[in-house]
Amino acid sequence: MARKATSGSSGGGGTGPGTARAGATAPGTTAPGATAAVPERLLAEATRLFAERGYDRTSVQEIVEAAGVTKGALYHYFGSKDDLLHEIYGRVLRLQTERLDAIAARPVPVTERIAEAAADVVVTSIQNLDDTKIFFRSIHQLGPEKQKAVRAERRRYHETFRALIEEGQRDGLLRPEPRPDLVVDYFFGSVHHLGTWYHADGPLTAEQVAAEFSDLLLHSLRPPATPGDPT
Amino acid sequence: MARKATSGSSGGGGTGPGTARAGATAPGTTAPGATAAVPERLLAEATRLFAERGYDRTSVQEIVEAAGVTKGALYHYFGSKDDLLHEIYGRVLRLQTERLDAIAARPVPVTERIAEAAADVVVTSIQNLDDTKIFFRSIHQLGPEKQKAVRAERRRYHETFRALIEEGQRDGLLRPEPRPDLVVDYFFGSVHHLGTWYHADGPLTAEQVAAEFSDLLLHSLRPPATPGDPT
Amino acid sequence: MARKATSGSSGGGGTGPGTARAGATAPGTTAPGATAAVPERLLAEATRLFAERGYDRTSVQEIVEAAGVTKGALYHYFGSKDDLLHEIYGRVLRLQTERLDAIAARPVPVTERIAEAAADVVVTSIQNLDDTKIFFRSIHQLGPEKQKAVRAERRRYHETFRALIEEGQRDGLLRPEPRPDLVVDYFFGSVHHLGTWYHADGPLTAEQVAAEFSDLLLHSLRPPATPGDPT
Amino acid sequence: MARKATSGSSGGGGTGPGTARAGATAPGTTAPGATAAVPERLLAEATRLFAERGYDRTSVQEIVEAAGVTKGALYHYFGSKDDLLHEIYGRVLRLQTERLDAIAARPVPVTERIAEAAADVVVTSIQNLDDTKIFFRSIHQLGPEKQKAVRAERRRYHETFRALIEEGQRDGLLRPEPRPDLVVDYFFGSVHHLGTWYHADGPLTAEQVAAEFSDLLLHSLRPPATPGDPT
DNA sequence: TATGAATGAGATTTCATTCAT
DNA sequence: TATGAATGAAATCTCATTCAT
C-alpha cells in the first residue's frame, strides 16, 4: 500500500500538504520546476475540474487525463474520489484556520482583530476561489463520516471567530444586541458565496472586496455613536 | 405528448406554484382531498429528495417511487430530470420576485422598504428551505441554456433590490460608501446560506432570523449618527 | 422497479420458478418455443457459464452476450450478479427438497425410502449437473446473508435425510453404530462431487450411478446378517 | 530472476512442504526461531486466505500484507498468483501420495491396508483442512496446463487406491459388485467435502471421523456374512 | 533480495431515457 | 394517461503484473 490519504490525515500528515504547499519536489520526482509530483498534479487538476463542473459531474477519467496519468495511479495515491475531495477541503481549512488563529492572538483591540480576520478570510477565499466554490457545493457529496470530520473543523473555525465577537460585545466595543452565532453565519454566508459571483478579471481586487466586506461587518456591529464620541 | 413543462412555463399555469402550494386540485385531477395530482406530487418529492441528497445523487427511480408512480408518468409530464429542477427553481423565483416587487412599490420610506424586503426574503427562504438548499447547490447541474434563464431571473431580482439601496444612498438615508452591487451580493450570500445551518427545530423562528438579518443589513448601511439626529 | 429477485424469494414466488419450470411463456413473450423469456434465458446462460468457468471468472458481460441481451436488461431483472447465483441455487434446492419430502413420506419401509432418496438425489444431481457443480464451488462467493439463507435450506434437507437414518437405526433395520449426521455428510460429500467426475457421455447412466451409490450407502449401514436372516 | 517456483518443482526442494512444515529454516534464512523465511510465510498466508475467502477473492495485495512483505518480494519468489496455488496443491498431493504409497506397500491383508489408507487420508485432510478446502474449490481457477498437471497427480493417487480395492475384490475379501472406480469417487467425494463441514472445535476429533469413514467404506464393501463366518 | 510507483484492462453497477402497448 | 421492459453509455474502482532502482 502506498500512502493513501486516509480520513484522519488532517494535521500536517497525509498526502503531503507539506510537499504540496512548500512546492518541494517529492523524492523520486524528475526535474524540479518541470512537472509536479503526481499526487499534487492530481489534486490540482481535481480542484480545477470540481470547481468548473462540480464533483459529481467530473469523472475520475477526466481527472487522470488532465493530470496525465492513469486511473491506477490515482488509486495508488488516493483511496477514492471522495478522498480527493476531502484532501482538497483539508488544505483550505488548515490554511484558513492557521491564519485566523494567528490573527486572533494579536495584541491589538478586538475590533481591529475582527476587521483583519474578516478581510483575511475574504482574501484567502478569493485566492483559493476554486476551493471555495467546491467547498460549499460539494460538501454533501462526501461520505457521512468524512462530512462530519470536515464540519467539525469548520465549526472550530467559526467558534474562534464567534469568540472574537463575544469579546467585543463584552468589552462594550460592539452592539450587544446581535447574537454572535447569527453574526457568524451571516458573515460567512457572504464569504462562502464569493465563489458564485467574484471573477478575477472583474473590476474589484480581492483586497477591495475584503475591505468592503470587513467594513460592512463592522458597521453592522458598531454601537450607536454617542455625543462627544465621533467614530 | 401532453403538456410537458417546458422552460417558459412561468405564469401560473398547470404545474405552477400557485396550484401546487394552495393545495387546490388542478383541473382533471381526481377527488379533492385525496392524493395530490401527479405532477405536483412529483415536484414535491423531487424537491425533498434533491434537498436531502443532491440533484445528481437522486435518481429518477427514487423520485417516482417516492411519488408512487412510474417513470413513464414522470416523462409524460416532464421532459427530463433537468426540467424538474428548472420547475422547482421557477417556483421560488417567481414567488420571491412577486413579493419583492410588491414591497418595493410600497409608499413608505426606502429604508423601511429595504428592511421589509430583507426580512421577507429571509422568511420565505426559510419557509421554502428545501428549495433554498437546492438552488445554490444545484444550479450548476442544469443544462447551459436553462442555467442562463435562471440566472437572468435571479439577476432581475438582485437588480430590484440594488435599486432600493441606490435610492437610499441617493436620498442620503444610507451611507454612500458601500457599492450597492457588493451590498447585494453580501446580503444574499447570507440569505442563500440559510439552508446550511437553519433548522426548523432550532432555537430561532424564521421571523427572529429575519429581524436580525434585516437589522444587521440596515446597521451596516446606516449613516453615522449626527448630533441632534438620534436614529 | 421490475420484479427483481430479492433474497426472500424462495418458496414459489420470485423470478418465476413457476414459469421457468413449467416452461410456460411469460405474458408478453413472443412465440412459444422460440426464444425463452429474458430472465429464464439469463438464468440458463449464467448456469452454463458459471459451471464452465466458475462464478468469479464469468463476467456479467459474457452472460448477457450469451443471452443476447444488454447489461441493463440483466439488472432490470436481477439486483446483482449475486442474485443470479442465489436464484440458481434456489431452483435446485427447491426441486430436491420437494422430491425428498415426497419420498420420505411414502408408506414403505424406511430402508426402501432411504434407498430411493439416495438414488433420487444422485439422478437429479446428474440431471442438473451444472447446478451441482456451481453449488459446491461457488457458495462461498455469495454475500454473507444470502449464504446463510442457502445454508439454512441445505441444512433442512440434510436433516430430513438424517431423520430417515435415525428412524432406521431406531427400528433396528440399520446398524446403530454410525452417527447419523456423519453418515449424511459422508453420503452427500459423494453426491456433491459428482460434478467433478461425471460426464454425460461417459460409460455410466445417471441411473447406474444412482443404483451403485444407493447400494454402497445401504451396505455400509446394513446390520450384520444374523443366522436365519439372509438379507 | 531467482528461483521461481516453476510447475515441476516437486521433489522436496526449497519451498517444499518438508521445510515449510517442519519449521526448519531454509538455507539463506535469518535466525531460526524468528519469523519464517519469506516464501514459506507467503505460502502459509496464501493458504489461509485462499481457504478463507477463495482464490479469486484474495488479492495479491492482501497476501503480501499478511506476510509482511511487498508485492515485489512475492514476484521475486513466485512467477504468478497461479504459481502460489499450484505450490499449495503440490504440498498436499505430495504428502498424501507418499503416505498412501507407504501404506499400500505394507505386508498386511488388503482390507487392513484399505482401512488404514482410508483413515489416513481423512486424518491428513483434516490436519491440512485449509489445503483441502482450497483444493476442491479452486482447481478450476488454475491455468489449463497447471490444472492438467494437478489432475494427473491426483489421478495417480486415485489409481493406487483403486488398485487396493481391485486386489480385495480379486482375493474375494470384498464384494465383487461395486465398480472400483466408482467406489473411489464415492469415497473421495466424502473426503474432499470434509472441508465444508468439519471444524476443529467441533465434537469430533480427526481420528474419530477417520474411524467412522473407514468403517463405512469397509462395511459397504464387505461381502455378505456366510454362515459360520462371523465378521 | 526487495521496493513501490505505475499501468492498462476489465469488473460490476447505475441511470436517464425511449417506446411499444 | 400510464406502464415497464430494455437500452447503451458511462461511472467508480480493482487487480495482477512490470520495472527502474
Side-chain angles (χ1 to χ4, degrees):
Chain A
M1 280 261 174
R3 48 182 173 136
K4 295 221 174 179
T6 49
S7 308
S9 73
S10 52
T15 316
T19 60
R21 266 214 290 283
T25 19
T29 320
T30 54
T35 56
V38 169
E40 277 69 32
R41 238 157 60 218
L42 283 166
L43 275 179
E45 296 300 331
T47 303
R48 192 175 56 77
L49 288 164
F50 289 167
E52 191 178 312
R53 36 179 169 287
Y55 177 79
D56 275 324
R57 306 290 250 236
T58 304
S59 74
V60 169
Q61 187 59 40
E62 289 169 317
I63 297 169
V64 299
E65 266 166 25
V69 298
T70 60
K71 270 188 280 201
L74 186 152
Y75 282 96
H76 183 66
Y77 290 105
F78 301 91
S80 65
K81 196 184 167 189
D82 238 57
D83 260 19
L84 222 39
L85 188 55
H86 185 86
E87 191 55 32
I88 291 170
Y89 285 167
R91 288 194 314 190
V92 209
L93 271 181
R94 281 193 293 271
L95 175 69
Q96 297 194 333
T97 300
E98 277 170 27
R99 300 184 65 99
L100 176 58
D101 287 346
I103 291 170
R106 287 202 193 142
V108 297
V110 72
T111 46
E112 198 172 318
R113 276 177 282 149
I114 292 174
E116 272 194 57
D120 188 76
V121 75
V122 169
V123 168
T124 62
S125 289
I126 287 179
Q127 280 170 346
N128 301 278
L129 204 58
D130 276 351
D131 304 74
T132 304
K133 283 180 191 168
I134 296 172
F135 207 114
F136 297 95
R137 258 179 231 162
S138 315
I139 235 198
H140 313 274
Q141 285 146 8
L142 215 45
E145 78 296 339
K146 274 182 195 144
Q147 204 168 133
K148 222 164 86 180
V150 170
R151 283 189 200 285
E153 272 197 85
R154 191 81 221 156
R155 195 174 323 117
R156 207 178 80 65
Y157 183 90
H158 278 187
E159 273 160 17
T160 305
F161 202 96
R162 192 186 62 198
L164 291 178
I165 301 198
E166 284 166 346
E167 185 182 342
Q169 291 181 321
R170 248 193 338 265
D171 296 357
L173 297 171
L174 302 178
R175 285 199 296 138
E177 295 87 2
R179 306 171 60 111
D181 51 353
L182 219 56
V183 171
V184 169
D185 285 323
Y186 178 78
F187 182 69
F188 282 98
S190 306
V191 172
H192 299 157
H193 258 282
L194 284 167
T196 67
W197 62 268
Y198 184 85
H199 286 98
D201 49 355
L204 297 170
T205 65
E207 286 70 21
Q208 284 175 298
V209 179
E212 285 241 28
F213 270 38
S214 179
D215 177 73
L216 285 168
L217 174 64
L218 283 173
H219 269 84
S220 64
L221 299 175
R222 189 189 50 170
T226 53
D229 175 24
T231 307
Chain B
M1 290 245 178
R3 47 174 177 141
K4 294 225 175 180
T6 48
S7 309
S9 74
S10 52
T15 24
T19 60
R21 279 280 155 51
T25 20
T29 321
T30 56
T35 54
V38 169
E40 277 68 32
R41 240 159 53 219
L42 282 167
L43 275 180
E45 295 300 331
T47 304
R48 193 175 55 77
L49 288 165
F50 289 166
E52 193 177 307
R53 34 179 173 286
Y55 177 78
D56 275 324
R57 307 290 247 238
T58 303
S59 73
V60 169
Q61 185 62 41
E62 287 169 317
I63 297 169
V64 298
E65 265 168 28
V69 300
T70 61
K71 277 194 271 201
L74 187 151
Y75 280 95
H76 181 70
Y77 289 108
F78 299 91
S80 67
K81 195 184 168 191
D82 240 53
D83 261 18
L84 223 37
L85 187 56
H86 189 199
E87 190 54 31
I88 291 171
Y89 284 166
R91 289 194 314 191
V92 211
L93 272 181
R94 282 193 294 271
L95 177 69
Q96 297 193 335
T97 301
E98 279 170 25
R99 301 183 66 98
L100 177 58
D101 287 347
I103 291 170
R106 289 204 191 140
V108 296
V110 71
T111 47
E112 199 173 317
R113 276 177 281 148
I114 292 174
E116 272 194 59
D120 188 76
V121 75
V122 169
V123 169
T124 61
S125 290
I126 287 180
Q127 280 170 347
N128 303 278
L129 204 59
D130 276 352
D131 304 71
T132 305
K133 283 179 191 169
I134 295 171
F135 208 113
F136 298 94
R137 264 178 225 161
S138 314
I139 258 209
H140 313 272
Q141 284 145 9
L142 216 46
E145 79 294 342
K146 275 183 193 142
Q147 205 169 131
K148 223 164 83 180
V150 170
R151 283 189 201 284
E153 272 197 85
R154 192 81 221 156
R155 195 172 325 114
R156 207 178 77 67
Y157 183 91
H158 279 189
E159 274 160 15
T160 306
F161 202 97
R162 192 186 62 198
L164 291 178
I165 303 206
E166 284 166 344
E167 184 182 344
Q169 290 181 323
R170 249 191 340 264
D171 297 356
L173 298 171
L174 302 178
R175 288 198 292 139
E177 294 88 1
R179 305 171 61 110
D181 52 352
L182 219 54
V183 171
V184 170
D185 285 323
Y186 178 78
F187 183 68
F188 282 97
S190 306
V191 171
H192 299 157
H193 258 284
L194 285 166
T196 67
W197 63 267
Y198 184 85
H199 286 98
D201 50 355
L204 296 170
T205 64
E207 285 72 21
Q208 285 175 298
V209 178
E212 286 241 27
F213 270 38
S214 180
D215 177 75
L216 285 168
L217 174 63
L218 284 173
H219 269 84
S220 65
L221 298 176
R222 188 188 48 172
T226 52
D229 174 24
T231 306
Chain C
M1 277 263 176
R3 48 185 174 134
K4 294 221 176 181
T6 48
S7 307
S9 73
S10 51
T15 315
T19 60
R21 265 214 291 282
T25 19
T29 320
T30 55
T35 55
V38 169
E40 278 68 33
R41 238 156 61 219
L42 284 166
L43 275 180
E45 296 301 331
T47 304
R48 192 174 56 76
L49 288 165
F50 289 166
E52 191 177 311
R53 35 178 171 286
Y55 177 79
D56 275 323
R57 307 291 249 235
T58 304
S59 75
V60 169
Q61 187 59 41
E62 288 168 317
I63 296 169
V64 299
E65 266 167 24
V69 299
T70 60
K71 273 188 279 203
L74 187 153
Y75 281 96
H76 182 66
Y77 290 105
F78 300 92
S80 65
K81 195 184 168 190
D82 238 57
D83 260 19
L84 222 39
L85 189 55
H86 186 85
E87 191 55 32
I88 292 172
Y89 285 167
R91 289 194 315 189
V92 210
L93 271 181
R94 283 193 293 270
L95 175 69
Q96 297 193 333
T97 300
E98 278 171 25
R99 300 184 65 98
L100 177 59
D101 287 347
I103 292 171
R106 288 202 191 143
V108 296
V110 73
T111 47
E112 199 172 317
R113 276 178 281 148
I114 292 174
E116 273 195 57
D120 188 76
V121 75
V122 169
V123 168
T124 61
S125 289
I126 287 180
Q127 280 170 347
N128 301 279
L129 204 59
D130 276 352
D131 303 73
T132 305
K133 281 179 192 169
I134 295 170
F135 207 115
F136 297 94
R137 259 179 230 161
S138 314
I139 237 199
H140 313 274
Q141 284 145 9
L142 216 45
E145 79 295 341
K146 275 183 196 144
Q147 205 169 132
K148 223 165 84 180
V150 170
R151 284 188 200 285
E153 272 197 85
R154 192 80 221 157
R155 196 174 322 116
R156 207 177 80 65
Y157 183 90
H158 278 188
E159 273 160 16
T160 305
F161 203 96
R162 193 186 61 196
L164 291 177
I165 304 206
E166 284 167 347
E167 185 183 341
Q169 291 181 322
R170 250 194 336 267
D171 296 356
L173 298 171
L174 302 179
R175 287 198 295 140
E177 294 88 2
R179 305 171 62 110
D181 52 352
L182 220 55
V183 171
V184 169
D185 286 322
Y186 178 78
F187 182 68
F188 282 97
S190 306
V191 171
H192 299 157
H193 259 283
L194 285 166
T196 67
W197 62 267
Y198 184 85
H199 286 98
D201 50 355
L204 297 170
T205 65
E207 286 70 21
Q208 285 175 299
V209 178
E212 284 239 28
F213 269 38
S214 181
D215 177 74
L216 286 168
L217 174 63
L218 283 173
H219 270 84
S220 66
L221 298 175
R222 189 188 49 171
T226 52
D229 175 23
T231 305
Chain D
M1 291 248 176
R3 47 175 178 139
K4 293 222 174 178
T6 48
S7 309
S9 74
S10 53
T15 25
T19 59
R21 280 278 157 52
T25 19
T29 321
T30 55
T35 54
V38 169
E40 277 68 32
R41 239 159 55 218
L42 283 166
L43 275 179
E45 295 301 331
T47 303
R48 192 174 56 75
L49 288 165
F50 289 166
E52 194 177 310
R53 35 180 172 285
Y55 177 78
D56 275 324
R57 307 289 248 237
T58 305
S59 74
V60 169
Q61 187 61 41
E62 287 170 316
I63 297 169
V64 299
E65 265 169 26
V69 300
T70 61
K71 276 196 271 201
L74 187 151
Y75 282 94
H76 181 70
Y77 290 107
F78 299 92
S80 67
K81 196 185 169 189
D82 240 52
D83 262 17
L84 224 38
L85 188 56
H86 190 201
E87 190 56 31
I88 291 172
Y89 284 166
R91 288 194 316 192
V92 211
L93 271 181
R94 283 193 294 271
L95 176 69
Q96 296 192 334
T97 301
E98 277 171 24
R99 299 184 66 99
L100 176 59
D101 288 347
I103 290 171
R106 288 205 191 141
V108 296
V110 72
T111 47
E112 200 173 317
R113 275 177 282 150
I114 292 174
E116 272 194 57
D120 188 75
V121 75
V122 169
V123 168
T124 61
S125 290
I126 287 179
Q127 281 170 346
N128 302 279
L129 205 59
D130 275 352
D131 303 72
T132 305
K133 283 178 190 169
I134 295 171
F135 206 113
F136 297 95
R137 262 179 227 161
S138 314
I139 257 208
H140 314 273
Q141 284 147 7
L142 216 45
E145 77 297 341
K146 275 182 194 143
Q147 203 169 134
K148 222 164 83 180
V150 170
R151 283 190 201 284
E153 273 198 84
R154 191 81 220 155
R155 195 172 325 114
R156 208 177 78 66
Y157 183 90
H158 278 188
E159 274 161 15
T160 305
F161 202 95
R162 192 186 62 197
L164 291 178
I165 300 197
E166 284 165 345
E167 184 182 343
Q169 291 180 323
R170 247 192 341 265
D171 297 356
L173 297 172
L174 302 178
R175 287 199 293 138
E177 293 87 2
R179 305 171 61 111
D181 51 352
L182 219 55
V183 171
V184 169
D185 285 324
Y186 178 78
F187 183 68
F188 281 97
S190 306
V191 171
H192 299 157
H193 257 285
L194 285 166
T196 67
W197 62 268
Y198 184 85
H199 286 100
D201 49 355
L204 297 171
T205 64
E207 285 73 21
Q208 284 176 299
V209 178
E212 285 240 28
F213 270 38
S214 180
D215 177 73
L216 285 168
L217 174 63
L218 283 174
H219 269 83
S220 65
L221 298 176
R222 187 189 51 170
T226 53
D229 176 22
T231 307

